[in-house]
Amino acid sequence: IQSIHHSKGLEFPVVILAGLGKGFNDESLKEPILLHPQAGIGMARQDPETGHRFPTLPQIGVRLAIRNSQRTEEMRVLYVAMTRAREKLCMVATLPSAADHLAGLAAELEHQNTFSPYAVMNAHGIGDWILMAALRHPSGQELRRLAEDESISVRPADYPWKIEVVTPPSN
């Protein structure tokens, strides 16, 4: 078992990417003072009487710049992880309510050749990026059925995927 960060430059016959249902860690975006190398500093305004903090336009702008930088880095890490496999790549995501989650993702998809920047930036985590691609893949019919959206435009693909939806046994 090895972290993605330690696998750069290496290849393996089989790679398993687990935990793709986990969301992005955006805790740092909630700080009252935000700093970004290009966007600068953004601070919340604090009411002196109540102590309640209000976001300011500079803070919102810096928050968006930081979020964009973080998502860009997540995409780089995902690329490294996915390109380590020589023969087989297995990706695993656990979702509490798969049908509802897939329906939400399906609603974000537009009938264009690419995903909208809005859908990419508003993804819950890396797994959502994979699932959006899987919804549009020819092998994603089970996901489209679960999402109850057969109108999703399917994009051509060079290779088939094996997509399995596993439900926990009922008690």
Side-chain angles (χ1 to χ4, degrees), residues 1-145:
I1 296 177
Q2 193 170 48
S3 76
I4 295 168
H5 298 288
H6 289 101
S7 69
K8 191 170 183 177
L10 302 174
E11 285 188 330
F12 305 93
V14 177
V15 171
I16 301 172
L17 295 179
L20 296 178
K22 186 179 136 210
F24 293 119
N25 182 357
D26 288 334
E27 285 302 309
S28 64
L29 300 177
K30 297 176 183 174
E31 296 295 324
I33 300 174
L34 300 173
L35 183 63
H36 186 269
Q38 285 80 38
I41 189 167
M43 296 182 283
R45 179 186 170 276
Q46 186 168 354
D47 186 311
E49 293 177 14
T50 65
H52 188 266
R53 289 191 177 124
F54 300 92
T56 62
L57 196 54
Q59 184 192 33
I60 293 167
V62 172
R63 182 180 296 130
L64 288 172
I66 292 170
R67 191 168 173 227
N68 184 49
S69 296
Q70 288 175 341
R71 296 304 184 268
T72 301
E73 180 59 21
E74 292 284 356
M75 284 185 192
R76 282 190 206 102
V77 170
L78 178 61
Y79 173 81
V80 168
M82 293 178 73
T83 57
R84 300 306 94 200
R86 279 193 308 256
E87 298 169 26
K88 190 172 201 172
L89 173 64
C90 300
M91 296 181 282
V92 181
T94 303
L95 303 170
S97 177
D100 292 342
H101 194 84
L102 288 167
L105 290 176
E108 296 273 341
L109 297 178
E110 297 178 0
H111 299 284
Q112 300 176 6
N113 290 340
T114 60
F115 300 123
S116 75
Y118 179 82
V120 173
M121 286 302 289
N122 284 324
H124 173 71
I126 289 174
D128 282 359
W129 293 337
I130 304 296
L131 287 170
M132 285 189 286
L135 281 163
R136 297 184 82 178
H137 193 279
S139 302
Q141 57 270 54
E142 176 66 11
L143 299 179
R144 291 188 293 277
R145 186 192 63 73

